[in-house]
Amino acid sequence: MATARPAVEVAGLHKSYGGLDVLKGVDLSVAAGEVVCVIGPSGSGKSTLLRCVNLLEEPTSGVVLVDGVRLNHPDTDLDAARRRMGMVFQMFNLFPHLTVLGNVTIAQRRVLKRDRAEAERVGRDCLARVGVEDKADAYPAQLSGGQQQRVAIARALAMNPSVMLFDEPTSALDPELVGEVLTVIRDLGTDGMTMLVVTHEMAFARDVADRVVFMDAGVIVEEGLPSQVIDDPRHERTRTFLHRVLGPQGSVGPGTTSTGRTHEYH
């Protein structure tokens, strides 16, 4: 029986800035419908990996494929290929002069060429999906950070991506707002969205990911089921990182993060 093609696949991925090697030969695949969380210390290459997947950063060498299309090939229509992916950043990057609905419809109209009525229908559906449909006529400055990040997620969803990339989507939020954003991401995973999530939220990774990847110094040190990587890591570098994050007891309580703070998500 034929094996399904990965939704995302990187092979031999290297990224250097001058003499600094940030990624040192990363191999990673994400199956359709899979949620993969990438954890690791600051500077380990996690965010660079994500930015290379959608070619916000050009890999120094290696192969990046999304839905079987090689993104870093000179003949690839990169704009068309990027439409397969939604990306949510640490910062919300909303247009301050546009309403929430305007932020969620502008790319639909300009990139996908949807008419205003269709774009607004899709936009309102996506805002409802992330629980901020009542904020459609508000401006970003009138929203909390958690609400702004949920609008950013709705904006990405409105483009009908096959893959969602999240680059530490809660790191800019006050602790009490983190849970509402993680709940939205968890629900997307439950609905079958393919996701690659860079996160410092250990409890979220433990509960939501199908697979956890631990990176350090530009390489994947360890990957596997959350129960293996987080609860019973094989590699000493993983154990050292988690000991520093979780403390000597090593427990992943509700909302445990790499900063030691806690919160609840539902």
Side-chain angles (χ1 to χ4, degrees):
M1 186 171 66
T3 302
R5 179 179 66 196
V8 177
E9 187 171 12
V10 299
L13 191 64
H14 289 257
K15 178 62 183 178
S16 301
Y17 300 94
L20 178 63
D21 297 325
V22 179
L23 297 177
K24 305 171 184 176
V26 173
D27 298 315
L28 178 67
S29 66
V30 182
E34 187 179 24
V35 179
V36 175
C37 285
V38 183
I39 64 172
S42 297
S44 60
K46 307 183 303 294
S47 293
T48 301
L49 171 62
L50 242 60
R51 294 175 69 86
C52 284
V53 167
N54 72 351
L55 257 66
L56 288 175
E57 298 282 356
E58 179 74 30
T60 303
S61 62
V63 174
V64 178
L65 298 104
V66 175
D67 290 336
V69 176
R70 180 173 174 178
L71 268 63
N72 59 331
H73 188 281
D75 295 336
T76 296
D77 182 342
L78 189 54
D79 288 337
R82 278 201 182 115
R83 291 173 203 157
R84 304 170 185 268
M85 292 176 284
M87 186 156 183
V88 177
F89 300 88
Q90 297 177 22
M91 301 306 295
F92 325 121
N93 300 321
L94 300 178
F95 293 111
H97 64 289
L98 295 179
T99 65
V100 163
L101 188 60
N103 270 279
V104 176
T105 57
I106 186 170
Q108 295 185 64
R109 296 177 64 195
R110 293 188 177 181
V111 177
L112 301 183
K113 307 303 181 185
R114 290 174 179 160
D115 62 37
R116 181 183 295 273
E118 183 184 7
E120 290 190 355
R121 178 188 61 76
V122 172
R124 290 184 187 277
D125 286 347
C126 290
L127 291 172
R129 191 172 180 184
V130 302
V132 289
E133 64 271 28
D134 60 326
K135 302 296 183 182
D137 297 324
Y139 287 86
Q142 298 172 302
L143 306 181
S144 70
Q147 289 169 334
Q148 290 186 63
Q149 190 63 295
R150 285 189 279 162
V151 172
I153 294 171
R155 177 180 56 188
L157 291 174
M159 303 298 285
N160 294 335
S162 62
V163 176
M164 287 284 287
L165 309 175
F166 292 90
D167 186 8
E168 296 195 9
T170 61
S171 64
L173 300 178
D174 292 334
E176 65 269 19
L177 301 177
V178 169
E180 65 188 60
V181 173
L182 294 181
T183 295
V184 168
I185 299 172
R186 183 202 63 189
D187 290 346
L188 292 177
T190 301
D191 290 344
M193 175 65 74
T194 306
M195 297 193 291
L196 185 57
V197 185
V198 170
T199 185
H200 56 263
E201 308 288 344
M202 293 299 112
F204 174 79
R206 175 67 180 80
D207 294 343
V208 176
D210 296 302
R211 185 156 43 103
V212 171
V213 171
F214 172 69
M215 289 187 67
D216 190 27
V219 299
I220 292 176
V221 175
E222 185 167 353
E223 62 180 298
L225 295 173
S227 58
Q228 180 259 304
V229 175
I230 295 177
D231 296 341
D232 188 24
R234 295 187 302 266
H235 201 286
E236 180 60 32
R237 276 195 283 177
T238 316
R239 290 195 292 270
T240 300
F241 169 75
L242 291 169
H243 180 84
R244 188 176 73 248
V245 169
L246 303 174
Q249 75 283 1
S251 87
V252 181
T256 307
T257 76
S258 63
T259 59
R261 68 192 187 190
T262 61
H263 58 262
E264 297 282 351
Y265 65 93
H266 304 285

